[in-house]
């Protein structure tokens, strides 16, 4: 056990095969950097939830290993969960309990002392804005409220690592903002966050790193800025006065992948944004008036889609 | 086990007991079962005393005996309490959050069985107390509390057996209703089958040791062993069964075999529970 490790989460050729099905996870190697917020992306059925369950010891791997703070995950090592705050995608809690009762019982599972636990429960219910319903039974709660209870339960013993499965799912805009702020706040305290999400904009907004899982394999992993600046084509739209002449000038340029003409508009796909000054220089030299150059900034959605399409075409 | 480990263990166990306390106290099903059995207890005490005019000193004993002897009562009492002990978590998808906390499946399973036994004991205690108070109020001092306690301990074992049977099924099938009705169905089939066989061919030793049927003889065997330990155990319905064993030996056998059944059922349920995938709903 090493809380100072560079990678609080690490897997080595982690695989999971369910009975009578193909591999849900196939030799996955991931490393989550300490103190960072890492997004875990993938289409439905990519293997995200399976990975998370393997990290928590809720499932046994078919082969390979998972490590939390350099300690190999085994179902019998329940004590490892003291160091993980987990929020499932669909948090479900016993409906006969109130949030106060539930959090106190969970706190006792962590071995927390009575006085400390009572204060922490009040503090957390305030934080997730459930203080006014603290004595109502959970069975009367909406999905969003359940999500807040789940978050409070994950934060209960202030662990150094959070594994959050779709943390803003089922929340309204204010709820989403609240959860994002809590995650950022925990990260600012040096906590590591590993969160799965299908909301790519949310991931771009919150995370510094991402792991993209597809078909049970890691398709891409690294920093988001690296993904966005990597060698992925850029879309450019030109509005010029003489399209025919423009086409003649640009058609043989090696960095132009394709183009289509639509009236005065030329839509091009170029290798990178760095090619645009060269295009404009050529056009200006040939007295072509440029009314507009519109660059479609590559966002994470396009980048991920390109990766997924690329993987499927292979 | 170190002192700190022990403290943490007891804290977790207390948390599990608290969890089940809320579950039981807020479950309409458990309250209905409790009221039902309590009502039967009161009705029987009144029936024995006023209608059947049983020897007054036996009323409390007979009221207690119904707990273990009547078959259906221990089944209702035991099975209704444990039918969802494990399966409810599978059905409601709450295991995933429970097991994201630092508790093992072993702790959870055996902690749950321990907690079920504790709450069963509390229910039995309250029911016995009610039967005792009624018989005491109407018929005065019974003077046979020791014999009643022996019978009661036999009834407790009978109820524990039924509770464990359903508890294990709850872990195996992950379905509360199925656990209850499978217990009920097997009991009904065996009871009718063994009953008919016994009427036609008489009782055999295996009749007394058949799971879900033989448990009803535990309180009687213990009562006989208490009153006449060295007499030969005999049982008469239609035909007389002579065990060839003394009452004390027979009671040891039937109690020992049922403790073994309980252990086997608990372990079988645990093996299935250990292998079960924890899924989200």
């Amino acid at each position: 056990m090493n809380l100072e490790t560079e990678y609080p989460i690490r897997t080595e050729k982690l695989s999971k095969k369910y009975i009578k099905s193909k591999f849900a996870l196939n030799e996955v190697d991931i490393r989550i950097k300490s103190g960072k917020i890492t997004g875990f992306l993938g289409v439905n059925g990519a293997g995200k939830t399976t990975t998370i369950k393997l990290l928590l010891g809720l499932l046994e791997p078919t082969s390979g290993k998972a490590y939390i703070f350099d300690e190999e995950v085994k179902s019998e090592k329940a004590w490892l969960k003291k160091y993980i705050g987990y929020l499932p995608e669909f948090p479900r809690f016993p409906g006969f309990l109130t949030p106060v009762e539930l959090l106190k019982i969970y706190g006792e599972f962590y071995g927390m002392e009575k006085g400390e636990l009572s204060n922490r429960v009040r503090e957390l219910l305030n934080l997730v804005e459930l203080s006014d319903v603290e004595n109502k039974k959970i069975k009367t709660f909406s999905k969003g409220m359940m999500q807040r209870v789940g978050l409070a339960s994950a934060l209960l013993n202030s662990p150094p690592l959070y594994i959050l499965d779709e943390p803003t799912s089922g929340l309204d805009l204010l709820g989403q903002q609240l959860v994002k702020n809590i995650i950022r706040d925990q990260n600012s305290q040096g906590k590591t966050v590993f969160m799965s999400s299908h909301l790519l904009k949310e991931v771009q907004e919150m995370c510094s790193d991402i792991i993209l899982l597809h078909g049970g394999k890691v398709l891409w992993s690294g920093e988001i800025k690296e993904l966005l600046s990597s060698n992925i084509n850029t879309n450019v739209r030109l509005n010029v006065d003489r399209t025919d002449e423009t086409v003649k000038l640009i058609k043989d340029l090696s960095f132009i992948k394709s183009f289509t003409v639509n009236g005065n508009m030329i839509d091009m796909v170029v290798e990178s944004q760095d090619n645009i000054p060269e295009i404009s220089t050529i056009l200006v030299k040939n007295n072509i008036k440029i009314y507009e150059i519109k660059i479609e900034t590559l966002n994470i959605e396009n980048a991920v889609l390109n990766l997924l399409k690329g993987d499927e075409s292979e | 086990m170190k002192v700190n480990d022990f403290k943490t263990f007891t804290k977790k166990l207390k948390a599990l007991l608290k969890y089940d306390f809320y579950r039981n106290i807020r479950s309409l099903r458990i309250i209905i079962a409790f009221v039902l059995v309590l009502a039967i207890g009161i009705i029987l005490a009144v029936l024995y005393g006023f209608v059947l005019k049983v020897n007054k000193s036996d009323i409390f004993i007979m009221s207690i005996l119904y707990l273990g002897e009547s078959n259906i009562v221990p089944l209702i009492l035991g099975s209704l309490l444990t039918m969802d002990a494990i399966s409810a978590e599978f059905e409601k998808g709450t295991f995933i959050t429970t097991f994201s906390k630092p508790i093992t499946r072993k702790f959870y399973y055996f902690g749950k069985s321990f907690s079920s036994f504790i709450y069963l004991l509390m229910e039995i205690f309250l029911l016995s107390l009610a039967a005792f108070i009624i018989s005491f109020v109407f018929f005065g001092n019974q003077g046979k509390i020791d014999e009643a306690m022996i019978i009661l301990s036999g009834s407790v074992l009978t109820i524990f057996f039924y509770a464990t049977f359903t508890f294990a099924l709850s872990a195996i099938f992950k379905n509360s209703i199925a656990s209850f009705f499978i217990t009920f169905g097997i009991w009904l089939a065996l009871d009718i089958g063994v009953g008919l066989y016994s009427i036609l061919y008489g009782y055999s030793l295996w009749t007394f040791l058949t799971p879900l049927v033989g448990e009803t003889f535990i309180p009687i065997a213990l009562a006989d062993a208490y009153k006449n330990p060295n007499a030969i155990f005999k049982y008469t319905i239609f035909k007389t069964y002579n065990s060839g064993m003394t009452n004390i030996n027979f009671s040891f056998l039937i109690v020992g075999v049922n403790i073994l059944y309980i252990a086997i059922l608990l372990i079988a349920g645990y093996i299935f529970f250990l292998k079960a995938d924890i899924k989200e709903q």
Side-chain angles (χ1 to χ4, degrees):
Chain A
M1 184 80 185
N2 174 18
L3 288 177
E4 304 301 318
T5 181
E6 198 181 342
Y7 303 110
I9 296 176
R10 185 161 55 86
T11 67
E12 284 174 4
K13 295 193 183 304
L14 192 64
S15 300
K16 178 69 185 174
K17 190 177 189 297
Y18 293 104
I19 301 165
K20 291 180 187 168
S21 71
K22 60 177 190 172
F23 275 95
L25 214 60
N26 198 356
E27 299 200 338
V28 164
D29 290 314
I30 57 172
R31 281 162 191 259
I32 307 300
K33 288 181 207 153
S34 178
K36 302 264 185 184
I37 304 180
T38 303
F40 196 28
L41 304 174
V43 294
N44 290 340
K48 301 190 298 288
T49 303
T50 299
T51 309
I52 289 174
K53 283 185 185 174
L54 288 164
L55 291 173
L56 289 160
L58 296 174
L59 290 176
E60 288 292 325
T62 307
S63 62
K65 288 173 180 176
Y67 297 90
I68 297 286
F69 293 109
D70 290 347
E71 187 74 32
E72 191 184 342
V73 177
K74 297 260 180 196
S75 61
E76 65 271 18
K77 286 184 189 170
W79 54 268
L80 251 180
K81 290 169 196 165
K82 274 188 179 179
Y83 302 94
I84 308 169
Y86 170 59
L87 174 68
E89 186 178 356
F90 305 107
R92 295 274 188 278
F93 303 102
F96 55 82
L97 294 174
T98 67
V100 173
E101 290 161 353
L102 177 89
L103 293 174
K104 283 187 175 172
I105 286 170
Y106 281 172
E108 284 164 16
F109 285 158
Y110 284 114
M112 291 168 81
E113 293 301 328
K114 212 174 180 181
E116 174 206 1
L117 181 57
S118 290
N119 293 336
R120 182 68 179 150
V121 168
R122 299 264 172 261
E123 184 192 330
L124 285 173
L125 290 175
N126 269 327
L127 184 70
V128 298
E129 298 175 356
L130 285 178
S131 297
D132 50 336
V133 290
E134 64 177 33
N135 291 318
K136 284 196 174 171
K137 303 258 173 61
I138 292 174
K139 65 182 168 196
T140 63
F141 283 15
S142 67
K143 188 178 185 295
M145 288 159 94
M146 294 279 254
Q147 196 79 2
R148 288 166 192 243
V149 176
L151 192 64
S153 144
L155 294 165
L156 196 57
N157 70 326
S158 304
L161 169 66
Y162 291 99
I163 297 178
L164 313 172
D165 202 352
E166 305 280 354
T168 56
S169 139
L171 293 171
D172 57 23
L173 278 175
L174 289 174
Q176 287 181 19
Q177 206 53 47
L178 175 79
V179 169
K180 285 179 196 170
N181 289 340
I182 292 171
I183 295 171
R184 282 197 196 100
D185 179 55
Q186 290 297 315
N187 180 243
S188 70
Q189 294 171 35
K191 312 282 178 74
T192 306
V193 180
F194 181 49
M195 54 177 268
S196 84
S197 178
H198 66 278
L199 302 171
L200 297 174
K201 279 183 184 160
E202 179 182 278
V203 170
Q204 189 166 13
E205 187 190 334
M206 303 277 299
C207 306
S208 57
D209 295 49
I210 62 159
I211 290 174
L212 177 62
L213 209 60
H214 190 54
K217 289 183 173 181
V218 175
L219 193 57
W220 200 89
S221 73
E223 293 184 5
I224 290 186
K225 60 182 179 190
E226 192 188 325
L227 173 71
L228 297 179
S229 65
S230 60
N231 190 18
I232 292 171
N233 303 329
T234 305
N235 296 324
V236 180
R237 171 169 281 190
L238 279 179
N239 186 352
V240 289
D241 62 344
R242 285 174 283 149
T243 47
D244 292 346
E245 209 169 320
T246 304
V247 168
K248 278 179 196 164
L249 289 166
I250 62 167
K251 69 177 182 185
D252 294 326
L253 295 173
S254 62
F255 51 78
I256 293 180
K257 300 284 179 189
S258 65
F259 63 85
T260 52
V261 180
N262 189 6
N264 283 344
M265 302 285 187
I266 302 174
D267 289 319
M268 298 184 284
V269 179
V270 297
E271 276 182 359
S272 86
Q273 288 191 30
D274 298 341
N275 306 132
I276 294 163
E278 201 176 329
I279 298 172
S280 57
T281 307
I282 293 168
L283 297 182
V284 170
K285 270 186 187 171
N286 288 279
N287 296 321
I288 292 171
K289 285 180 186 164
I290 306 170
Y291 300 122
E292 188 187 13
I293 299 180
K294 198 174 170 188
I295 304 161
E296 193 180 288
T297 314
L298 187 67
N299 60 23
I300 193 169
E301 276 180 23
N302 295 329
V304 168
L305 272 173
N306 285 342
L307 284 170
L308 292 174
K309 281 177 188 167
D311 188 53
E312 273 166 14
S313 65
E314 281 171 24
Chain B
M1 192 184 271
K2 291 175 194 166
V3 177
N4 275 348
D5 289 349
F6 182 71
K7 271 188 185 172
T8 314
F9 174 81
T10 49
K11 200 172 270 180
K12 286 178 184 178
L13 194 60
K14 267 199 247 172
L16 208 55
L17 284 169
K18 201 190 283 179
Y19 178 93
D20 268 355
F21 174 74
Y22 289 128
R23 188 173 72 94
N24 292 334
I25 207 80
R26 290 170 187 169
S27 162
L28 188 64
R29 185 190 72 240
I30 303 234
I31 292 166
I32 288 172
F34 180 78
V35 170
L36 202 72
V37 177
L38 191 65
I40 296 170
I42 294 167
I43 290 165
L44 280 178
V46 171
L47 187 78
Y48 290 139
F50 289 111
V51 183
L52 300 175
K53 303 207 184 292
V54 170
N55 183 351
K56 284 186 178 181
S57 61
D58 287 337
I59 294 165
F60 178 52
I61 289 175
M62 293 187 77
S63 305
I64 289 294
L65 197 61
Y66 91 95
L67 269 179
E69 201 197 16
S70 56
N71 252 349
I72 191 73
V73 177
L75 195 147
I76 290 174
L77 201 60
S79 300
L80 278 182
L81 193 98
T82 57
M83 63 188 267
D84 66 347
I86 299 287
S87 51
E89 300 254 10
F90 280 112
E91 288 163 346
K92 290 174 184 162
T94 51
F95 261 138
I96 198 141
T97 39
T98 307
F99 283 120
S100 68
K101 306 301 167 202
I103 53 168
T104 58
R105 290 197 194 197
K106 188 174 163 186
F107 169 83
Y108 183 86
Y109 181 85
F110 289 106
K112 272 274 188 181
S113 58
F114 174 74
S115 122
S116 299
F117 288 163
I118 294 287
Y119 289 111
L120 268 176
L121 278 178
M122 281 168 64
E123 276 198 5
I124 296 164
F125 171 76
L126 288 172
L127 298 181
S128 311
L129 193 68
F132 176 75
I133 289 169
I134 285 167
S135 52
F136 185 82
V137 166
F138 287 105
F139 306 105
N141 192 356
Q142 305 300 304
K144 277 193 175 180
I145 196 82
D146 48 349
E147 194 184 333
M149 288 303 114
I150 293 288
I151 293 170
L152 188 61
S153 59
S155 303
V156 167
L157 186 61
T158 305
I159 294 166
F160 273 17
F161 171 83
Y162 284 97
T164 313
F165 195 90
T166 313
F167 183 87
L169 290 184
S170 162
I172 292 167
F173 293 106
K174 303 169 198 160
N175 184 308
S176 311
I177 303 290
S179 307
F180 179 78
F181 281 105
I182 291 171
T183 309
F184 186 79
I186 297 175
W187 161 74
L188 197 63
L190 282 175
D191 211 42
I192 293 170
V194 173
L196 284 174
Y197 181 91
S198 308
I199 290 167
L200 294 171
Y201 305 106
Y203 281 82
S204 309
L205 182 61
W206 64 263
T207 321
F208 294 87
L209 302 180
T210 304
L212 291 161
V213 177
E215 286 71 29
T216 56
F217 300 107
I218 299 172
I220 301 161
L222 284 181
D224 285 354
Y226 181 71
K227 284 187 283 190
N228 300 302
N230 296 317
I232 297 296
F233 179 80
K234 288 177 185 172
Y235 189 77
T236 305
I237 286 188
F238 303 109
K239 290 174 183 173
T240 298
Y241 166 69
N242 186 332
S243 70
M245 278 185 268
T246 60
N247 281 328
I248 192 84
N249 285 346
F250 188 82
S251 67
F252 271 126
L253 177 72
I254 196 165
V255 166
V257 165
N258 276 283
I259 289 173
L260 187 68
Y261 285 158
I262 289 175
I264 291 169
L265 285 168
L266 275 179
I267 291 166
Y270 177 62
I271 290 167
F272 277 89
F273 181 60
L274 207 57
K275 287 181 180 173
D277 273 350
I278 304 294
K279 288 176 186 161
E280 278 174 291
Q281 240 187 358

